[in-house]
Amino acid sequence: AAGLALHGMIPGPYVDTGHSYEVPEKWKRFGIPAAGPLINLCAAGAAAWAIVFSPSDGWTHAFAYLFLFCVAFVYLDTNPLTPSDGSHMIEALLDDEFAYEAAVRTRYRQMSGWKTVATYRAVTAVHVQVFALLLWFWWTHVVPV
């Protein structure tokens, strides 16, 4: 299934990767949900390239907003706190299709081992901290005062 969905409060493209657990190889299972954030990174790179090399007319601001939009989707699509590409990527690497449910809901904790739950939660904490660090850097170095 594909279409538009709300990612947080931002509407954007959506492709169902929920059945990727049926692929037998771990790295191929990882590659399916990783394709979405990779495309968003490529789009952000193209927008950044356009910002740097565009003449300073009205298009620079449009490319800057496109860049921020793409970066927001990279974060939202890799977010392991929601059933998104990020959670599917971690589940593929942990080789446990119930890792998200076990890590975020107490009643499903018995579905996965404690090491899987601890690893999933650690990756989630790192994801949130990296985002906070990037947001702080952007706010203190990029946003004009």
Side-chain angles (χ1 to χ4, degrees):
L4 289 174
L6 285 177
H7 300 270
M9 296 181 70
I10 303 171
Y14 167 78
V15 176
D16 183 14
T17 60
H19 292 285
S20 62
Y21 65 88
E22 296 173 3
V23 176
E25 295 180 37
K26 179 191 299 191
W27 289 105
K28 288 184 180 179
R29 266 197 323 267
F30 174 80
I32 293 170
L38 181 63
I39 294 297
N40 291 333
L41 276 175
C42 290
W49 182 83
I51 291 168
V52 171
F53 293 109
S54 68
S56 31
D57 56 4
W59 285 100
T60 305
H61 293 292
F63 289 134
Y65 284 115
L66 179 63
F67 174 77
L68 290 175
F69 191 70
C70 292
V71 169
F73 271 109
V74 169
Y75 173 74
L76 293 171
D77 286 346
T78 59
N79 185 3
L81 290 172
T82 61
S84 63
D85 289 337
S87 63
H88 295 307
M89 287 188 291
I90 296 171
E91 287 174 341
L93 290 177
L94 293 174
D95 207 19
D96 185 353
E97 65 186 85
F98 301 110
Y100 167 76
E101 295 291 336
V104 299
R105 292 188 175 91
T106 55
R107 88 175 186 202
Y108 293 105
R109 195 164 294 143
Q110 301 301 323
M111 298 173 111
S112 299
W114 69 270
K115 288 181 183 179
T116 300
V117 171
T119 303
Y120 192 98
R121 289 178 177 172
V123 169
T124 302
V126 168
H127 185 270
V128 170
Q129 290 173 355
V130 166
F131 174 71
L133 184 64
L134 289 173
L135 189 61
W136 169 81
F137 179 81
W138 177 75
W139 189 261
T140 58
H141 292 84
V142 178
V143 175
V145 179

